[in-house]
Amino acid sequence: MSRKKKLTGTIDDYPLVQVRWFDCLASNEWMSIPKAIRLKPAVCYSLGYKLIQTREKITIFADYSQDEDGLEVGNLNTIPAAWVQDVTEITFK
């Protein structure tokens, strides 16, 4: 049984962001060539805390647990950077 690695810091170290990104669009229906050419990638929105953003990827997490042992994260999404259109930090007044 492996032990989970805990992150250091608190949830305040990770900004809440909305990521707008493209995803592939697949279809298994018959269609004309002109209709197939008009297909576009799906525009997707993901909301979560930004764990890391590099030239290759962005990883966000939606859930976390924090106790005396530190911070653990769950429900992670890793999106290729080439698919990311923009990342908007969300702040509350």
Side-chain angles (χ1 to χ4, degrees):
M1 176 169 37
S2 67
R3 185 168 169 85
K4 294 180 188 175
K5 182 176 181 180
K6 307 262 185 181
L7 295 173
T8 59
T10 68
I11 193 62
D12 295 329
D13 296 327
Y14 303 95
L16 182 62
V17 296
Q18 176 183 284
V19 181
R20 184 171 65 93
W21 55 287
F22 289 146
D23 198 2
C24 68
L25 182 65
S27 176
N28 65 351
E29 67 183 85
W30 289 96
M31 67 180 72
S32 68
I33 295 295
K35 184 176 178 183
I37 290 171
R38 288 191 303 271
L39 291 177
K40 295 181 181 181
V43 179
C44 302
Y45 296 86
S46 295
L47 186 66
Y49 295 91
K50 182 169 66 171
L51 180 63
I52 189 170
Q53 185 171 8
T54 68
R55 291 184 334 173
E56 292 83 27
K57 66 181 181 181
I58 184 169
T59 299
I60 62 174
F61 60 93
D63 301 321
Y64 67 93
S65 173
Q66 191 167 346
D67 59 22
E68 64 276 354
D69 293 331
L71 184 67
E72 290 187 340
V73 298
N75 285 327
L76 286 89
N77 280 319
T78 297
I79 304 165
W83 297 4
V84 174
Q85 300 307 296
D86 55 68
V87 178
T88 305
E89 188 168 337
I90 298 171
T91 57
F92 299 97
K93 294 183 180 185

